[in-house]
């Protein structure tokens, strides 16, 4: 992760007022724009010196207490210099929970760096954030609270009643002047999932358009900090995708064991996590585009992106007698071949374009790769060396990136309904209908044994198939037998 403006261990020692012996310099120097945020810090001498670690420990101690009861309302050290209200109500689904860091009248913090240190320590102890990620989020939290200082209407729109009951219009948010902090500050930290680790704090909220616009008023447009936030959101995307895949596998297992209610719960969880992953991925794409424009304006080199506006990709015959195809990308203006796919065993002419795909890297199972678009098709032949499987092909390089774990029937067709992809798979010598998500995670498999060559007739009432005895049978969308 790139170095952010948090500057976590830049100073060697600090005073009891939690400020460095340094010239007063605004932490977010900006050009005077109405949307800009400029923090004014105390710059004079102090009587007592505190280390950076001691300042972080203020937040750490608060976080350790909250970590013991993440799903419950907790008020930590009311009346102390620094108090924390963990305002959560999990019985309410709408709007946001929040942590509220209160700087009481005897609080000594008077420099934005040190306030961020306290928040950093808190995020690490309460939710297990890594130091670098916690620093970035802490910076965004302070800017977010400065942007919405005393804007009670916005807080009422976004937060649950349990949060609103513990903030006040004249104190909520963060003043840009350190002299106003003690006794007049309620820093709101929006929560997404208290058990979510990297996704505990709602990064969408703390990096909304108004916050990003404020950061863009800096001389360097805060490009490093914003890029660090995009990296965090990419981690959130990967985490949500992994959870979606795990829940999907669990749903399939529960259905296989006949536990319909549990299967539906897992399926719902999978859909929710995938929605989060897709939303975060879309945020990254939009914000990355703005970031690249700002880099160009600043004269920062941005890697040239290949102009693909005229490119066309289509199926082409490999061998007339084999019924196998490959993908080739051509220049739609000149007709020149741009790229040929090394995958030359695509079965049949059915290829689907799928979007916003997250898959595990083939080189490292702990690394996730993100694709705007991929091609989903049946690939391979049953020749002892290869085997027919569902496959995902990178739309740029046209390379195979993922294949289904299950082998397909040689004569399977590929059909789609409501975002699920249906094929006939062969397991232990028997054929069954199976459905997959767009990332090739197995969703459902029929217990009914079907003909290896059964058509997958998509009807309003379900999927009409031919069983192993040649009889017509109806399956529902989850591949349970209707009749």
């Amino acid at each position: 992760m790139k170095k952010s403006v948090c500057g976590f261990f830049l100073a060697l020692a600090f005073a009891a007022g939690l400020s460095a012996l340094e010239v007063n310099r605004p932490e977010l120097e900006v050009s005077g724009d109405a949307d800009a945020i400029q923090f004014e810090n105390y710059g004079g001498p102090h009587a007592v010196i505190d280390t950076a670690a001691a300042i972080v420990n203020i937040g750490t101690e608060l976080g350790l207490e909250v970590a013991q009861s993440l799903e419950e309302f907790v008020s930590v050290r009311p009346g102390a210099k620094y108090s924390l209200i963990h305002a959560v109500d999990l019985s309410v689904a709408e709007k946001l929970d929040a942590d509220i860091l209160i700087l009481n009248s005897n609080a000594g913090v008077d420099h934005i760096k040190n306030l961020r240190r306290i928040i950093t320590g808190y995020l690490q102890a309460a939710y297990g954030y890594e130091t670098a990620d916690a620093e970035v989020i802490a910076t965004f939290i302070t800017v977010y609270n400065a942007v919405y200082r005393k804007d009670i209407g916005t807080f009422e729109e976004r937060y649950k009643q349990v949060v609103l009951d513990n903030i006040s219009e004249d104190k909520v948010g963060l003043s840009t002047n350190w002299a106003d902090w003690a006794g007049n500050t309620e820093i709101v930290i929006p929560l997404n999932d208290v058990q979510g680790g990297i996704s505990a704090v709602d990064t969408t909220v703390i990096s909304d358009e108004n916050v990003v616009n404020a950061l863009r008023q800096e001389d360097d447009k805060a490009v490093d900090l914003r890029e660090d936030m995009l990296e965090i959101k990419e981690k959130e995307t990967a985490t949500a995708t992994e959870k979606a895949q795990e829940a999907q596998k669990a749903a399939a297992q529960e259905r296989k064991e006949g536990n319909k209610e549990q299967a539906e719960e897992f399926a719902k969880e999978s859909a929710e996590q995938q929605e989060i992953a897709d939303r975060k991925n879309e945020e990254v794409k939009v914000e990355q585009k703005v970031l690249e424009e700002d880099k160009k304006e600043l004269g920062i080199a941005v890697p040239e992106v290949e102009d693909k506006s005229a490119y066309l990709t289509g199926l082409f015959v490999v061998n007339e007698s084999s019924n196998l195809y490959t993908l080739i990308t051509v220049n739609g203006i000149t007709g020149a071949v741009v790229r040929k796919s090394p995958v030359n065993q695509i079965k049949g002419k059915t290829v689907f374009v799928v979007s916003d795909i997250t898959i595990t890297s083939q080189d490292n199972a702990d690394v996730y790769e993100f694709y705007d678009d991929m091609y989903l098709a049946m690939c391979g032949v049953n020749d002892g060396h290869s085997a027919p499987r569902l496959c995902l092909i990178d739309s740029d390089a046209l390379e195979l990136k993922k294949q289904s774990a299950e082998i397909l029937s040689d004569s399977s067709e590929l059909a789609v309904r409501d975002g699920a992809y249906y094929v006939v798979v062969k397991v232990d010598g028997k054929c069954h209908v199976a459905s997959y998500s767009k990332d090739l995670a197995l969703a459902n498999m029929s217990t009914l044994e079907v003909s290896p060559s059964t058509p997958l007739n998509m009807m309003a009432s379900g999927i009409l198939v031919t069983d192993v005895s040649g009889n017509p049978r109806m399956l529902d969308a989850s591949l349970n037998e209707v009749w």
Side-chain angles (χ1 to χ4, degrees):
M1 182 171 285
K2 298 179 179 63
K3 181 181 177 184
S4 75
V5 298
C6 298
F8 191 62
F9 288 114
L10 291 180
L12 296 177
F14 296 84
L18 303 188
S19 248
L21 284 168
E22 58 182 65
V23 176
N24 181 20
R25 181 177 61 84
E27 192 65 14
L28 288 175
E29 288 193 19
V30 290
S31 60
D33 188 279
D35 294 328
I37 296 296
Q38 182 174 353
F39 288 106
E40 298 178 21
N41 306 298
Y42 174 71
H46 297 85
V48 181
I49 302 297
D50 277 334
T51 65
I55 298 168
V56 174
N57 194 54
I58 294 171
T60 300
E61 291 180 350
L62 294 171
L64 289 174
E65 293 194 44
V66 168
Q68 299 176 39
S69 306
L70 286 177
E71 296 187 352
E72 301 175 2
F73 178 93
V74 180
S75 179
V76 181
R77 302 184 182 182
K81 290 183 179 181
Y82 306 93
S83 304
L84 194 291
I85 297 176
H86 184 59
V88 299
D89 183 355
L90 301 187
S91 67
V92 178
E94 294 77 20
K95 299 189 178 181
L96 297 169
D97 297 305
D99 287 326
I100 307 166
L101 175 63
I102 300 172
L103 309 185
N104 292 308
S105 57
N106 53 346
V109 64
D110 54 19
H111 198 292
I112 192 63
K113 287 182 180 178
N114 293 329
L115 182 55
R116 289 171 180 165
R117 286 183 170 93
I118 294 171
I119 298 171
T120 295
Y122 175 75
L123 296 175
Q124 289 177 283
Y127 303 112
Y129 278 98
E130 295 180 359
T131 301
D133 292 343
E135 290 174 358
V136 173
I137 292 173
T139 301
F140 270 88
I141 287 170
T142 55
V143 178
Y144 168 75
N145 276 270
V147 167
Y148 292 103
R149 170 70 168 170
K150 296 184 179 181
D151 185 357
I152 196 66
T154 295
F155 289 98
E156 289 173 343
E157 290 175 3
R158 293 180 174 177
Y159 294 90
K160 297 178 183 179
Q161 191 61 45
V162 67
V163 177
L164 301 179
D165 289 343
N166 288 280
I167 60 175
S168 55
E169 183 173 1
D170 59 337
K171 295 183 179 181
V172 69
L174 178 66
S175 170
T176 55
N177 189 335
W178 70 272
D180 298 330
W181 291 353
N184 296 294
T185 302
E186 297 165 345
I187 296 174
V188 177
I189 304 173
L191 299 177
N192 173 54
D193 179 0
V194 293
Q195 299 286 5
I198 188 70
S199 301
V201 176
D202 196 319
T203 54
T204 299
V205 173
I206 63 172
S207 64
D208 70 10
E209 183 179 9
N210 291 329
V211 173
V212 171
N213 284 341
L215 290 171
R216 294 179 73 197
Q217 304 309 312
E218 295 186 56
D219 291 340
D220 66 353
K221 297 184 181 293
V223 292
D224 285 348
L225 176 69
R226 290 160 57 200
E227 201 157 54
D228 289 344
M229 175 57 79
L230 291 187
E231 290 182 17
I232 292 174
K233 290 185 177 183
E234 286 175 345
K235 292 180 184 179
E236 291 182 292
T237 303
T239 298
T241 298
E242 184 177 10
K243 289 180 178 179
Q245 292 173 344
E246 289 175 351
Q248 195 170 57
K249 291 177 182 177
Q253 183 62 34
E254 294 292 345
R255 289 194 186 98
K256 186 176 180 181
E257 296 175 0
N259 302 322
K260 187 174 182 180
E261 186 174 337
Q262 292 91 328
E264 290 176 352
E265 286 297 320
F266 279 119
K268 180 181 178 182
E269 179 185 348
S270 177
E272 290 173 349
Q273 289 296 327
Q274 190 59 54
E275 188 278 330
I276 293 171
D278 292 344
R279 174 167 52 83
K280 285 292 181 180
N281 194 34
E282 186 62 29
E283 280 183 40
V284 170
K285 289 192 291 185
V286 171
E287 293 168 15
Q288 185 67 52
K289 185 176 181 180
V290 176
L291 193 58
E292 288 179 357
E293 291 173 354
D294 286 346
K295 284 183 176 181
K296 288 179 181 178
E297 185 178 329
L298 292 168
I300 300 173
V302 177
E304 289 294 326
V305 178
E306 185 180 6
D307 182 10
K308 303 171 185 175
S309 58
Y311 288 1
L312 302 172
T313 300
L315 278 175
F316 291 83
V317 175
V318 172
N319 186 301
E320 289 289 352
S321 62
S322 66
N323 195 34
L324 295 177
Y325 302 85
T326 190
L327 290 164
I328 296 178
T329 298
V330 299
N331 186 311
I333 298 175
T334 66
V337 174
V338 177
R339 194 168 293 112
K340 290 183 177 181
S341 174
V343 184
N344 56 13
Q345 293 183 331
I346 295 177
K347 293 172 64 68
K349 302 174 184 177
T350 304
V351 176
F352 293 103
V353 178
V354 290
S355 302
D356 297 325
I357 304 298
T358 305
I359 60 176
T360 303
S361 169
Q362 296 180 95
D363 300 322
N364 187 341
D366 295 326
V367 175
Y368 289 87
E369 297 175 342
F370 307 94
Y371 296 89
D372 292 339
D373 296 297
M374 301 188 84
Y375 297 114
L376 188 154
M378 296 186 297
C379 305
V381 294
N382 192 5
D383 61 4
H385 177 73
S386 177
R389 300 178 189 268
L390 277 180
C391 58
L392 282 174
I393 300 172
D394 178 5
S395 62
D396 290 331
L398 302 183
E399 296 175 349
L400 177 64
K401 292 298 182 180
K402 186 176 181 179
Q403 61 185 20
S404 63
E406 296 75 25
I407 295 175
L408 309 186
S409 163
D410 288 340
S411 50
S412 174
E413 67 173 280
L414 173 59
V416 64
R417 169 178 280 182
D418 297 330
Y421 297 86
Y422 294 86
V423 288
V424 178
V425 298
K426 197 170 186 178
V427 180
D428 297 329
K430 298 179 179 180
C431 291
H432 306 268
V433 182
S435 64
Y436 292 82
S437 64
K438 63 182 180 180
D439 57 5
L440 300 193
L442 178 65
N444 298 291
M445 185 185 299
S446 71
T447 56
L448 176 70
E449 186 178 353
V450 299
S451 165
S453 303
T454 180
L456 301 175
N457 299 291
M458 296 295 170
M459 306 294 183
S461 55
I463 306 170
L464 186 61
V465 299
T466 307
D467 71 13
V468 71
S469 300
N471 301 311
R473 303 291 292 273
M474 182 69 74
L475 303 174
D476 64 17
S478 298
L479 303 182
N480 299 309
E481 296 173 46
V482 178
W483 44 262

